[in-house]
Amino acid sequence: MKKPAEFYQRDRRWHPPAYARDYKTSVARSPQYAAISLENTLSEITGPVFGHGDIDPIDNDLLSNFAEAGQSPIGERIIVHGRVLDENARPVPNTLVEIWQANASGRYRHKKDTYLGALDPNFGGCGRTLTDENGYYFFRTVKPGAYPWRNWVNDWRPAHIHFSIFGTGFAQRLITQLYFEGDPLIAKCPIVNTIPDPAAIEQLIAVLDMNATIPLDTIAYKFDIVLRGRRSTLFENRLEGN
Amino acid sequence: MKQRLEYLKETPSQTAGPYVHIGLAPGDAGFQIYNQELGRDIAGPNAKGERIRVEGLVIDGTGSPIKDVLLEVWQANAHGVHAHPEHPGDVEEDFRGWGRVITDFETGEWGFDTIKPGATPGRNGATQAPHINLWIVARGINLGLNTRLYFDDEESANAADPVINTIEWQRRRQTLIATRSVRDGIPVYRFDIRIQGEDETVFFDI
Ligand SMILES: [Fe+2]
C-alpha cells in the first residue's frame, strides 16, 4: 500500500495565538495547555470530498441567489476571485469554498444580529462554489459595510468577507476573513491584530484587480488562498519511545 | 546571498465569528437559501454498523456553555475506512463520514447521529482505536481547535491507541473519552469539551 504523504507542520507563529488579550472573547475561549503535536495519520490526511451534486451553479452569485426575480441587492457590485493553492504553490482543484458576509449597510441576515443597519430583502449573504481544475474560484456579491461590535466601546470591523475552505485533508481545514485594500479600519481592528506578523495580515487583504473588472458593471478584487502543503516524498519515521 | 525557498505561506486563520451559521448552516441563521445544506447526513441509511448518537456541550473558561460554536465531524465507517480516495477500501455509497453540528442557541447543547467507527490504520503499522475527529470553531476561537473523541466501551483498544499514548498525563487522557448510556434503545455517548480551565480537553496540533 502506498503510504499517503503528510502535511507540512502548521506555522503556529503565522496564525493568531488562541489567547489575544485585545480580542476579549478569546480570553475565556483559549486553551491554556499546549496542544499535543500529532503526526498525521489517515484520520488527518483524508477529508470530505465534494462534487457538483452538492451545490447549485447559482450558489456563487450573491447578487442573485436570494434576490427577487429581476431585482438586485443594494451596494457596490463586486467580483471576488482568485485561486486556492497549497504551500507548494500547486492549485487545489475541486475544493469547496464557502463565504458569508454582511450586506452593504453592515447588517447580517442572522437572528442574533440586531444592528441598526437595514436588512436588504434581496441579499442573503452567503455563497459557495467548487474550485475548477486550476484551483480557480469566483463569487459575485456586493461590498459589505463596516459594522460596530462590542469589544472596546467603539470598535468597528473593517469590511470583510468570511471564508471557509476545505482542501483535500481534514488537517487543511481553514476559516479566515478577506479584507479590502485601502480600508483604514483594518489597522485598528483587534481581530485583524490577533495576527502577530504584518506580512501575514497582508495575505488577507484583497487587491483591486482592474483587469478582471467588467466595464460599466462590476469591480473585481483578487484574493488567493493558500492551504497547507504536503510532502512530495513518502517516508515513515520510526521514532517511537512514547 | 543564498538561494531562496519557493514555498508559499499558509493563509492565516481568523475567527469564524458569531454569524458562522449564515455561511455554513443558513437554515439555523433563520433563512432558506440553498437547495441542500451540507453536513447534515454523516452516515446514510445504507451505512453499516451500530447506530449511535453523540451529545455534549462546549464549555468556556468561566464554566459556561458556548452557544455559538460550530463543530465539524470526520470519521471512518464501521470498517475503519474513510470516504476518501487515498484511504484504500470501500465505503457505503451514502456514507460520507463528515458532518456539521451547531448548538441549541439557548442551551449550547449539540448532538449528532452517526454510526460507530471501526479501528483505523495508524502510523508505522499501528492500529488506532475507534475515534471521531472533531474541529471546533466559534467567535473568540482564532484558529479552529482539533480534538478526538474515543469511546469508553473500547477500553483495551484505547489503552493501545498510539495517539492517546502520546499524552503524558493519564488524567488528561480522560478528556477524550466519551461515556456511553442508552436512551430509548439508542446508545448515546456524552462528550463535553472544555476549552479552558479545570479538566481542559486535550487539543491536537495536527
Ligand atoms: Fe463578520
Side-chain angles (χ1 to χ4, degrees):
Chain A
M1 163 189 160
K2 187 179 152 188
K3 294 177 183 69
E6 58 210 354
F7 290 96
Y8 301 136
Q9 167 179 300
R10 195 165 234 169
D11 183 352
R12 296 256 161 185
R13 291 182 168 176
W14 191 250
H15 287 283
Y19 170 80
R21 185 188 57 189
D22 289 346
Y23 175 25
K24 293 182 182 179
T25 312
S26 76
V27 172
R29 294 185 173 194
S30 43
Q32 289 172 330
Y33 292 123
I36 307 285
S37 297
L38 188 62
E39 292 164 295
N40 290 169
T41 70
L42 274 173
S43 309
E44 289 77 35
I45 289 165
T46 59
V49 177
F50 300 98
H52 288 281
D54 288 315
I55 62 174
D56 289 303
I58 196 180
D59 290 352
N60 73 342
D61 186 12
L62 286 72
L63 293 182
S64 68
N65 70 3
F66 197 75
E68 293 288 334
Q71 297 193 36
S72 281
I74 289 173
E76 189 177 334
R77 295 160 59 85
I78 63 169
I79 290 166
V80 173
H81 76 130
R83 292 205 299 161
V84 179
L85 305 166
D86 68 15
E87 289 170 291
N88 298 315
R90 294 192 195 105
V92 183
N94 305 313
T95 200
L96 183 65
V97 180
E98 297 162 292
I99 65 169
W100 68 99
Q101 63 168 91
N103 68 21
S105 49
R107 175 76 182 269
Y108 281 101
R109 185 170 290 281
H110 191 290
K111 51 187 165 193
K112 296 282 182 188
D113 188 1
T114 55
Y115 177 44
L116 299 171
L119 277 174
D120 182 333
N122 291 306
F123 191 69
C126 60
R128 57 190 186 180
T129 191
L130 290 166
T131 57
D132 72 11
E133 65 277 14
N134 300 312
Y136 180 79
Y137 76 89
F138 76 94
F139 293 96
R140 285 205 316 169
T141 186
V142 294
K143 193 171 178 187
Y147 61 82
W149 62 299
R150 291 183 183 278
N151 187 62
W152 295 319
V153 168
N154 187 22
D155 266 327
W156 292 75
R157 294 300 326 277
H160 63 278
I161 300 176
H162 297 265
F163 271 71
S164 158
I165 315 101
F166 278 82
T168 58
F170 208 52
Q172 286 175 300
R173 196 75 183 84
L174 183 70
I175 281 182
T176 189
Q177 300 182 28
L178 169 159
Y179 304 101
F180 292 89
E181 174 185 6
D183 186 341
L185 290 169
I186 296 172
K188 297 180 189 297
C189 178
I191 289 177
V192 172
N193 289 318
T194 59
I195 299 173
D197 189 328
I201 292 173
E202 284 180 16
Q203 217 177 334
L204 297 184
I205 302 177
V207 59
L208 177 66
D209 183 351
M210 289 305 285
N211 287 351
T213 287
I214 302 172
L216 308 176
D217 185 327
T218 312
I219 294 175
Y221 286 86
K222 190 204 76 158
F223 186 65
D224 287 339
I225 297 158
V226 181
L227 301 179
R228 293 170 71 181
R230 296 176 75 173
R231 298 186 189 286
S232 53
T233 51
L234 310 176
F235 73 96
E236 278 188 284
N237 66 50
R238 279 277 162 197
L239 276 180
E240 271 153 24
N242 290 305
Chain B
M1 287 294 280
K2 55 182 181 174
Q3 297 194 3
R4 283 168 184 269
L5 294 171
E6 302 287 332
Y7 300 112
L8 303 178
K9 294 296 288 182
E10 187 188 7
T11 297
S13 171
Q14 292 270 267
T15 178
Y19 305 124
V20 60
H21 318 93
I22 296 173
L24 307 189
D28 297 297
F31 65 107
Q32 293 304 321
I33 184 165
Y34 296 140
N35 283 328
Q36 58 173 327
E37 293 199 6
L38 300 173
R40 298 301 166 108
D41 217 357
I42 301 170
N46 295 320
K48 298 186 183 68
E50 185 182 26
R51 295 275 152 187
I52 62 169
R53 182 164 177 81
V54 178
E55 295 179 346
L57 288 170
V58 181
I59 298 162
D60 73 12
T62 75
S64 311
I66 301 184
K67 298 173 183 174
D68 51 12
V69 74
L70 181 140
L71 301 97
E72 285 189 11
V73 174
W74 179 241
Q75 67 166 82
N77 73 0
H79 298 114
V81 182
H82 292 93
H84 188 275
E86 287 185 76
H87 195 144
D90 291 326
V91 296
E92 302 86 341
E93 175 205 336
D94 56 355
F95 175 83
R96 183 165 250 172
W98 173 76
R100 232 170 217 171
V101 185
I102 69 146
T103 63
D104 182 296
F105 289 156
E106 304 303 317
T107 64
E109 287 278 349
W110 53 266
F112 60 88
D113 299 304
T114 185
I115 52 97
K116 192 175 171 192
T120 56
R123 293 174 69 89
N124 303 326
T127 298
Q128 305 188 82
H131 64 276
I132 296 176
N133 281 44
L134 295 172
W135 184 71
I136 302 154
V137 295
R139 177 171 67 101
I141 295 178
N142 291 324
L143 175 61
L145 297 169
N146 287 100
T147 189
R148 284 183 172 200
L149 176 158
Y150 288 84
F151 299 89
D152 70 343
D153 52 337
E154 297 284 347
E155 220 166 322
S156 59
N158 291 342
D161 181 81
V163 170
I164 292 179
N165 284 310
T166 58
I167 303 164
E168 182 179 345
W169 311 276
Q170 289 286 346
R171 180 183 165 140
R172 298 206 65 207
R173 295 179 186 181
Q174 297 309 312
T175 68
L176 301 184
I177 315 288
T179 53
R180 178 180 177 119
S181 61
V182 174
R183 191 172 65 221
D184 303 329
I186 303 279
V188 179
Y189 289 91
R190 181 78 194 178
F191 192 67
D192 290 331
I193 298 165
R194 292 180 172 77
I195 297 284
Q196 184 190 85
E198 199 177 347
D199 291 323
E200 182 177 302
T201 298
V202 169
F203 297 104
F204 293 105
D205 181 1
I206 63 171

